[in-house]
Structures are given as structure tokens and as C-alpha cells.
Amino acid sequence: MFSSILALLQSLFYPHCCPGCGEEVREPGVLCSRCREGVWHPRSFHPRSLDCPHVDGMFFLMDYAGAIQKTLQQAKFQGREDLLPRLGEEWARGIRQEGKFSWDLPPEVTLCATGIPTDPRRRKKRGYDLPEEIFRPWCRQEGYRWETLLIRNRSTRPQYGLTPEERKKNIKGCFALARQENLPDIVLLCEQRCLRLIQISKCMHSRKNRI
Ligand SMILES: [Zn+2]
């Protein structure tokens, strides 16, 4: 009773705003319907359409634009950790609705999910990791093990504001495996920029342990 009165008062004096456009929304951290529609663009890429022998498939839920860009920037630079569980819910709902793994997920494989590692200094300063906060709850629901499988060898410049060519150069060779033994058959690489999932098979074993 008391908590519902408190929630009512809070919504009257401090209304929740869409992180994309600032419009008032009912719950904290949710995108308004217009912002969601602006970036919602679920699509799968089948291995046959990808020119990469170790990638089994990719699934993108959103375009990296507008509301999703603003939301991630607030989470990265303004301490808005509270926005990330909401993005995680969008992801879980989106991939359930739109059909994950429209490519083949082989049976009887060892599998784990991991995120692209953040620069350790930036992670420490921020106190949380974006991919982990977004995707880990979904992994738990699906029964996928979440692991820190990749590490960064060196610091990089922030990718924000760089051209595609500069971005490539900036991160070249900066990732490595966190361990060499007992690697899973399949890795689900989770990336927050379009809420994206990349399924990789055995790439760790054949590219000199670097991706
Ligand atoms: Zn909005």
C-alpha cells in the first residue's frame, strides 16, 4: 500500500522519460512506442549469405540509430545503469518473437555466451559492463552459460566518432581468449550496438586464438 502511494507520488513529481526522446512513459527506462518503432529492425543472416567460414549466423534486433544510440550513450557516459535491464527485456522479447537461430544450431554441442570485452579501465570507472547487463539475464532464462571468454590485450581509443576504417584499425588485434583449454564448440557473441547476436563455431581454434 505504502509503496504504491510512493510510486504514484514519484510518478507525479518525477515522471519517467523515454531515454530516446524524453517523452513521458509509464515505467522507468522504457522506450516510447515511436522510438522503438524507429529502430526496431529484426533480421537474421544465414551462413550462406556471410563471407566468413566460422560464423554460423547473425541476428540483429535493432538498427544502431536514434533511440538505441542515445540509450547506450546514457548508459555509457551518464551512469544510467538502470536503462540496461530494460534493453535486456527488449532483447529477450524481440528474439523470442522474431525467431532466434533461423540457421542451424547443431545438437549436442557445448555452448557459451560472451560479450565483447570493454576496456578494463572504462569498466572499472563505470562499475558495470553493458553487454553483460543486457544479455546475461536472457542467457539465464535460456540456460546458456555466460562466460568472460574474451579479454582485451591493450587499451583502445573510444570507437565513438571514428570512421569505419579507423574503428577497424583501433581494435585490430586487441582481443584474445581468456583461456586456451576446454573451449566450447559454439560461442554466442553478444553485442549491444544493434542488440546483436553472432554465433561462432570453432573460430577460436583456427585463427591463432585471435578474433
Ligand atoms: Zn521516445
PDB file of all heavy atoms in Angstrom, residues 159-181:
ATOM      1  N   GLN A 159      35.560   4.125 -29.626  1.00  0.00           N
ATOM      2  CA  GLN A 159      35.190   3.970 -31.035  1.00  0.00           C
ATOM      3  C   GLN A 159      34.286   5.114 -31.521  1.00  0.00           C
ATOM      4  O   GLN A 159      34.205   5.380 -32.705  1.00  0.00           O
ATOM      5  CB  GLN A 159      34.427   2.638 -31.226  1.00  0.00           C
ATOM      6  CG  GLN A 159      35.251   1.398 -30.989  1.00  0.00           C
ATOM      7  CD  GLN A 159      36.137   1.033 -32.176  1.00  0.00           C
ATOM      8  OE1 GLN A 159      37.188   1.626 -32.398  1.00  0.00           O
ATOM      9  NE2 GLN A 159      35.709   0.068 -32.947  1.00  0.00           N
ATOM     10  N   TYR A 160      33.654   5.749 -30.531  1.00  0.00           N
ATOM     11  CA  TYR A 160      32.701   6.816 -30.846  1.00  0.00           C
ATOM     12  C   TYR A 160      33.374   7.925 -31.659  1.00  0.00           C
ATOM     13  O   TYR A 160      34.435   8.421 -31.295  1.00  0.00           O
ATOM     14  CB  TYR A 160      32.153   7.383 -29.528  1.00  0.00           C
ATOM     15  CG  TYR A 160      31.092   8.426 -29.692  1.00  0.00           C
ATOM     16  CD1 TYR A 160      29.852   8.106 -30.221  1.00  0.00           C
ATOM     17  CD2 TYR A 160      31.328   9.747 -29.314  1.00  0.00           C
ATOM     18  CE1 TYR A 160      28.870   9.065 -30.365  1.00  0.00           C
ATOM     19  CE2 TYR A 160      30.358  10.719 -29.453  1.00  0.00           C
ATOM     20  CZ  TYR A 160      29.128  10.369 -29.985  1.00  0.00           C
ATOM     21  OH  TYR A 160      28.159  11.323 -30.129  1.00  0.00           O
ATOM     22  N   GLY A 161      32.796   8.269 -32.785  1.00  0.00           N
ATOM     23  CA  GLY A 161      33.312   9.375 -33.593  1.00  0.00           C
ATOM     24  C   GLY A 161      34.368   8.959 -34.607  1.00  0.00           C
ATOM     25  O   GLY A 161      34.826   9.789 -35.384  1.00  0.00           O
ATOM     26  N   LEU A 162      34.763   7.684 -34.627  1.00  0.00           N
ATOM     27  CA  LEU A 162      35.774   7.247 -35.595  1.00  0.00           C
ATOM     28  C   LEU A 162      35.098   6.769 -36.883  1.00  0.00           C
ATOM     29  O   LEU A 162      33.950   6.321 -36.868  1.00  0.00           O
ATOM     30  CB  LEU A 162      36.616   6.097 -35.018  1.00  0.00           C
ATOM     31  CG  LEU A 162      37.406   6.361 -33.726  1.00  0.00           C
ATOM     32  CD1 LEU A 162      38.219   5.132 -33.334  1.00  0.00           C
ATOM     33  CD2 LEU A 162      38.337   7.559 -33.882  1.00  0.00           C
ATOM     34  N   THR A 163      35.831   6.852 -37.992  1.00  0.00           N
ATOM     35  CA  THR A 163      35.310   6.333 -39.258  1.00  0.00           C
ATOM     36  C   THR A 163      35.392   4.802 -39.212  1.00  0.00           C
ATOM     37  O   THR A 163      36.143   4.242 -38.400  1.00  0.00           O
ATOM     38  CB  THR A 163      36.170   6.825 -40.441  1.00  0.00           C
ATOM     39  OG1 THR A 163      37.485   6.269 -40.288  1.00  0.00           O
ATOM     40  CG2 THR A 163      36.267   8.333 -40.498  1.00  0.00           C
ATOM     41  N   PRO A 164      34.654   4.089 -40.088  1.00  0.00           N
ATOM     42  CA  PRO A 164      34.718   2.619 -40.075  1.00  0.00           C
ATOM     43  C   PRO A 164      36.157   2.106 -40.209  1.00  0.00           C
ATOM     44  O   PRO A 164      36.553   1.153 -39.537  1.00  0.00           O
ATOM     45  CB  PRO A 164      33.869   2.216 -41.284  1.00  0.00           C
ATOM     46  CG  PRO A 164      32.911   3.347 -41.457  1.00  0.00           C
ATOM     47  CD  PRO A 164      33.648   4.577 -41.028  1.00  0.00           C
ATOM     48  N   GLU A 165      36.954   2.758 -41.041  1.00  0.00           N
ATOM     49  CA  GLU A 165      38.352   2.329 -41.230  1.00  0.00           C
ATOM     50  C   GLU A 165      39.160   2.536 -39.944  1.00  0.00           C
ATOM     51  O   GLU A 165      39.930   1.661 -39.527  1.00  0.00           O
ATOM     52  CB  GLU A 165      38.951   3.179 -42.374  1.00  0.00           C
ATOM     53  CG  GLU A 165      39.726   2.465 -43.455  1.00  0.00           C
ATOM     54  CD  GLU A 165      39.562   0.945 -43.551  1.00  0.00           C
ATOM     55  OE1 GLU A 165      38.517   0.450 -44.017  1.00  0.00           O
ATOM     56  OE2 GLU A 165      40.510   0.280 -43.140  1.00  0.00           O
ATOM     57  N   GLU A 166      38.973   3.688 -39.306  1.00  0.00           N
ATOM     58  CA  GLU A 166      39.686   3.976 -38.055  1.00  0.00           C
ATOM     59  C   GLU A 166      39.261   3.018 -36.938  1.00  0.00           C
ATOM     60  O   GLU A 166      40.087   2.588 -36.124  1.00  0.00           O
ATOM     61  CB  GLU A 166      39.404   5.418 -37.607  1.00  0.00           C
ATOM     62  CG  GLU A 166      40.080   6.463 -38.462  1.00  0.00           C
ATOM     63  CD  GLU A 166      39.580   7.877 -38.187  1.00  0.00           C
ATOM     64  OE1 GLU A 166      38.404   8.057 -37.756  1.00  0.00           O
ATOM     65  OE2 GLU A 166      40.346   8.815 -38.423  1.00  0.00           O
ATOM     66  N   ARG A 167      37.975   2.676 -36.938  1.00  0.00           N
ATOM     67  CA  ARG A 167      37.475   1.728 -35.928  1.00  0.00           C
ATOM     68  C   ARG A 167      38.168   0.383 -36.051  1.00  0.00           C
ATOM     69  O   ARG A 167      38.595  -0.213 -35.068  1.00  0.00           O
ATOM     70  CB  ARG A 167      35.969   1.499 -36.121  1.00  0.00           C
ATOM     71  CG  ARG A 167      35.113   2.587 -35.566  1.00  0.00           C
ATOM     72  CD  ARG A 167      33.680   2.446 -36.070  1.00  0.00           C
ATOM     73  NE  ARG A 167      32.878   3.498 -35.516  1.00  0.00           N
ATOM     74  CZ  ARG A 167      32.051   3.345 -34.483  1.00  0.00           C
ATOM     75  NH1 ARG A 167      31.886   2.183 -33.936  1.00  0.00           N
ATOM     76  NH2 ARG A 167      31.376   4.373 -34.004  1.00  0.00           N
ATOM     77  N   LYS A 168      38.257  -0.077 -37.310  1.00  0.00           N
ATOM     78  CA  LYS A 168      38.881  -1.381 -37.573  1.00  0.00           C
ATOM     79  C   LYS A 168      40.328  -1.377 -37.073  1.00  0.00           C
ATOM     80  O   LYS A 168      40.782  -2.288 -36.401  1.00  0.00           O
ATOM     81  CB  LYS A 168      38.842  -1.641 -39.090  1.00  0.00           C
ATOM     82  CG  LYS A 168      38.439  -3.073 -39.428  1.00  0.00           C
ATOM     83  CD  LYS A 168      38.510  -3.314 -40.901  1.00  0.00           C
ATOM     84  CE  LYS A 168      37.179  -3.145 -41.603  1.00  0.00           C
ATOM     85  NZ  LYS A 168      37.269  -3.370 -43.044  1.00  0.00           N
ATOM     86  N   LYS A 169      41.053  -0.303 -37.427  1.00  0.00           N
ATOM     87  CA  LYS A 169      42.451  -0.181 -37.044  1.00  0.00           C
ATOM     88  C   LYS A 169      42.589  -0.099 -35.515  1.00  0.00           C
ATOM     89  O   LYS A 169      43.484  -0.703 -34.921  1.00  0.00           O
ATOM     90  CB  LYS A 169      43.004   1.102 -37.683  1.00  0.00           C
ATOM     91  CG  LYS A 169      44.477   1.061 -37.979  1.00  0.00           C
ATOM     92  CD  LYS A 169      44.859   2.248 -38.822  1.00  0.00           C
ATOM     93  CE  LYS A 169      46.325   2.540 -38.658  1.00  0.00           C
ATOM     94  NZ  LYS A 169      46.708   3.804 -39.246  1.00  0.00           N
ATOM     95  N   ASN A 170      41.676   0.632 -34.906  1.00  0.00           N
ATOM     96  CA  ASN A 170      41.721   0.869 -33.463  1.00  0.00           C
ATOM     97  C   ASN A 170      41.647  -0.430 -32.660  1.00  0.00           C
ATOM     98  O   ASN A 170      42.332  -0.588 -31.659  1.00  0.00           O
ATOM     99  CB  ASN A 170      40.543   1.789 -33.092  1.00  0.00           C
ATOM    100  CG  ASN A 170      40.635   2.315 -31.677  1.00  0.00           C
ATOM    101  OD1 ASN A 170      41.723   2.551 -31.159  1.00  0.00           O
ATOM    102  ND2 ASN A 170      39.498   2.492 -31.032  1.00  0.00           N
ATOM    103  N   ILE A 171      40.804  -1.377 -33.127  1.00  0.00           N
ATOM    104  CA  ILE A 171      40.621  -2.588 -32.311  1.00  0.00           C
ATOM    105  C   ILE A 171      41.398  -3.797 -32.859  1.00  0.00           C
ATOM    106  O   ILE A 171      41.336  -4.875 -32.294  1.00  0.00           O
ATOM    107  CB  ILE A 171      39.123  -2.967 -32.168  1.00  0.00           C
ATOM    108  CG1 ILE A 171      38.491  -3.244 -33.524  1.00  0.00           C
ATOM    109  CG2 ILE A 171      38.366  -1.930 -31.388  1.00  0.00           C
ATOM    110  CD1 ILE A 171      37.170  -3.994 -33.406  1.00  0.00           C
ATOM    111  N   LYS A 172      42.127  -3.596 -33.950  1.00  0.00           N
ATOM    112  CA  LYS A 172      42.844  -4.724 -34.568  1.00  0.00           C
ATOM    113  C   LYS A 172      43.788  -5.390 -33.558  1.00  0.00           C
ATOM    114  O   LYS A 172      44.628  -4.746 -32.952  1.00  0.00           O
ATOM    115  CB  LYS A 172      43.632  -4.242 -35.789  1.00  0.00           C
ATOM    116  CG  LYS A 172      44.148  -5.369 -36.648  1.00  0.00           C
ATOM    117  CD  LYS A 172      44.710  -4.798 -37.947  1.00  0.00           C
ATOM    118  CE  LYS A 172      45.518  -5.770 -38.745  1.00  0.00           C
ATOM    119  NZ  LYS A 172      44.992  -7.057 -38.974  1.00  0.00           N
ATOM    120  N   GLY A 173      43.598  -6.705 -33.383  1.00  0.00           N
ATOM    121  CA  GLY A 173      44.488  -7.485 -32.520  1.00  0.00           C
ATOM    122  C   GLY A 173      44.356  -7.194 -31.033  1.00  0.00           C
ATOM    123  O   GLY A 173      45.184  -7.638 -30.242  1.00  0.00           O
ATOM    124  N   CYS A 174      43.309  -6.486 -30.626  1.00  0.00           N
ATOM    125  CA  CYS A 174      43.253  -6.119 -29.201  1.00  0.00           C
ATOM    126  C   CYS A 174      42.485  -7.139 -28.354  1.00  0.00           C
ATOM    127  O   CYS A 174      42.486  -7.045 -27.138  1.00  0.00           O
ATOM    128  CB  CYS A 174      42.689  -4.717 -29.008  1.00  0.00           C
ATOM    129  SG  CYS A 174      40.927  -4.608 -29.132  1.00  0.00           S
ATOM    130  N   PHE A 175      41.832  -8.127 -29.013  1.00  0.00           N
ATOM    131  CA  PHE A 175      41.116  -9.146 -28.236  1.00  0.00           C
ATOM    132  C   PHE A 175      41.885 -10.471 -28.231  1.00  0.00           C
ATOM    133  O   PHE A 175      42.518 -10.827 -29.224  1.00  0.00           O
ATOM    134  CB  PHE A 175      39.726  -9.406 -28.832  1.00  0.00           C
ATOM    135  CG  PHE A 175      38.850  -8.192 -28.856  1.00  0.00           C
ATOM    136  CD1 PHE A 175      38.362  -7.696 -30.057  1.00  0.00           C
ATOM    137  CD2 PHE A 175      38.513  -7.535 -27.686  1.00  0.00           C
ATOM    138  CE1 PHE A 175      37.556  -6.567 -30.085  1.00  0.00           C
ATOM    139  CE2 PHE A 175      37.711  -6.403 -27.709  1.00  0.00           C
ATOM    140  CZ  PHE A 175      37.234  -5.916 -28.911  1.00  0.00           C
ATOM    141  N   ALA A 176      41.782 -11.178 -27.122  1.00  0.00           N
ATOM    142  CA  ALA A 176      42.392 -12.511 -27.044  1.00  0.00           C
ATOM    143  C   ALA A 176      41.512 -13.388 -26.159  1.00  0.00           C
ATOM    144  O   ALA A 176      40.614 -12.884 -25.465  1.00  0.00           O
ATOM    145  CB  ALA A 176      43.787 -12.406 -26.447  1.00  0.00           C
ATOM    146  N   LEU A 177      41.766 -14.675 -26.218  1.00  0.00           N
ATOM    147  CA  LEU A 177      40.999 -15.592 -25.378  1.00  0.00           C
ATOM    148  C   LEU A 177      41.436 -15.499 -23.921  1.00  0.00           C
ATOM    149  O   LEU A 177      42.619 -15.374 -23.637  1.00  0.00           O
ATOM    150  CB  LEU A 177      41.228 -17.027 -25.856  1.00  0.00           C
ATOM    151  CG  LEU A 177      40.480 -17.432 -27.121  1.00  0.00           C
ATOM    152  CD1 LEU A 177      41.014 -18.761 -27.612  1.00  0.00           C
ATOM    153  CD2 LEU A 177      38.996 -17.510 -26.853  1.00  0.00           C
ATOM    154  N   ALA A 178      40.454 -15.613 -23.040  1.00  0.00           N
ATOM    155  CA  ALA A 178      40.772 -15.577 -21.612  1.00  0.00           C
ATOM    156  C   ALA A 178      41.405 -16.891 -21.172  1.00  0.00           C
ATOM    157  O   ALA A 178      42.098 -16.936 -20.160  1.00  0.00           O
ATOM    158  CB  ALA A 178      39.504 -15.305 -20.815  1.00  0.00           C
ATOM    159  N   ARG A 179      41.149 -17.966 -21.898  1.00  0.00           N
ATOM    160  CA  ARG A 179      41.805 -19.245 -21.583  1.00  0.00           C
ATOM    161  C   ARG A 179      41.987 -20.032 -22.868  1.00  0.00           C
ATOM    162  O   ARG A 179      41.334 -19.752 -23.880  1.00  0.00           O
ATOM    163  CB  ARG A 179      40.972 -20.030 -20.567  1.00  0.00           C
ATOM    164  CG  ARG A 179      39.628 -20.511 -21.086  1.00  0.00           C
ATOM    165  CD  ARG A 179      39.018 -21.557 -20.148  1.00  0.00           C
ATOM    166  NE  ARG A 179      37.961 -22.282 -20.828  1.00  0.00           N
ATOM    167  CZ  ARG A 179      36.689 -21.929 -20.794  1.00  0.00           C
ATOM    168  NH1 ARG A 179      36.325 -20.871 -20.138  1.00  0.00           N
ATOM    169  NH2 ARG A 179      35.782 -22.656 -21.434  1.00  0.00           N
ATOM    170  N   GLN A 180      42.833 -21.038 -22.817  1.00  0.00           N
ATOM    171  CA  GLN A 180      43.146 -21.798 -24.029  1.00  0.00           C
ATOM    172  C   GLN A 180      42.514 -23.193 -24.018  1.00  0.00           C
ATOM    173  O   GLN A 180      42.402 -23.818 -25.067  1.00  0.00           O
ATOM    174  CB  GLN A 180      44.674 -21.954 -24.162  1.00  0.00           C
ATOM    175  CG  GLN A 180      45.441 -20.645 -24.142  1.00  0.00           C
ATOM    176  CD  GLN A 180      45.179 -19.796 -25.366  1.00  0.00           C
ATOM    177  OE1 GLN A 180      44.878 -20.304 -26.434  1.00  0.00           O
ATOM    178  NE2 GLN A 180      45.281 -18.484 -25.208  1.00  0.00           N
ATOM    179  N   GLU A 181      42.153 -23.688 -22.843  1.00  0.00           N
ATOM    180  CA  GLU A 181      41.665 -25.069 -22.725  1.00  0.00           C
ATOM    181  C   GLU A 181      40.144 -25.112 -22.649  1.00  0.00           C
ATOM    182  O   GLU A 181      39.508 -24.151 -22.251  1.00  0.00           O
ATOM    183  CB  GLU A 181      42.228 -25.707 -21.424  1.00  0.00           C
ATOM    184  CG  GLU A 181      43.742 -25.671 -21.316  1.00  0.00           C
ATOM    185  CD  GLU A 181      44.431 -26.450 -22.425  1.00  0.00           C
ATOM    186  OE1 GLU A 181      43.912 -27.508 -22.814  1.00  0.00           O
ATOM    187  OE2 GLU A 181      45.472 -25.986 -22.926  1.00  0.00           O
TER     188      GLU A 181
END
